[in-house]
Amino acid sequence: MKLCERCNRPLKSEKSMADGMGRICKKKQAIEDAEFEKIQIKMEEVIDMPEMIAHGA
């Protein structure tokens, strides 16, 4: 029996086993991933920072 990668509870459905986590944990993970993406600095932003500073942005 496979365990959820997030909460370590046993997974019951074939879909959950294929996904690696149950449906509730999958929803929670999607919310956390979306929030992380909002605050994550992207490489393009870092590359453009000297230009922004030079132009007084």
Side-chain angles (χ1 to χ4, degrees):
M1 178 168 283
K2 287 185 80 175
L3 299 177
C4 176
E5 296 171 2
R6 184 177 167 93
C7 70
N8 290 322
R9 291 183 179 168
L11 298 171
K12 299 176 184 174
S13 76
E14 290 294 323
K15 179 155 177 34
S16 294
M17 288 184 220
D19 292 341
M21 60 183 74
R23 61 184 173 87
I24 294 172
C25 285
K26 192 173 178 182
K27 286 180 187 176
K28 289 179 179 180
Q29 189 66 47
I31 291 168
E32 289 180 9
D33 289 346
E35 189 62 34
F36 178 77
E37 285 297 320
K38 287 180 187 175
I39 62 171
Q40 183 67 24
I41 296 175
K42 295 174 180 53
M43 187 59 103
E44 296 81 28
E45 295 170 339
V46 173
I47 292 169
D48 291 339
M49 278 186 185
E51 292 175 17
M52 292 170 57
I53 293 169
H55 298 316

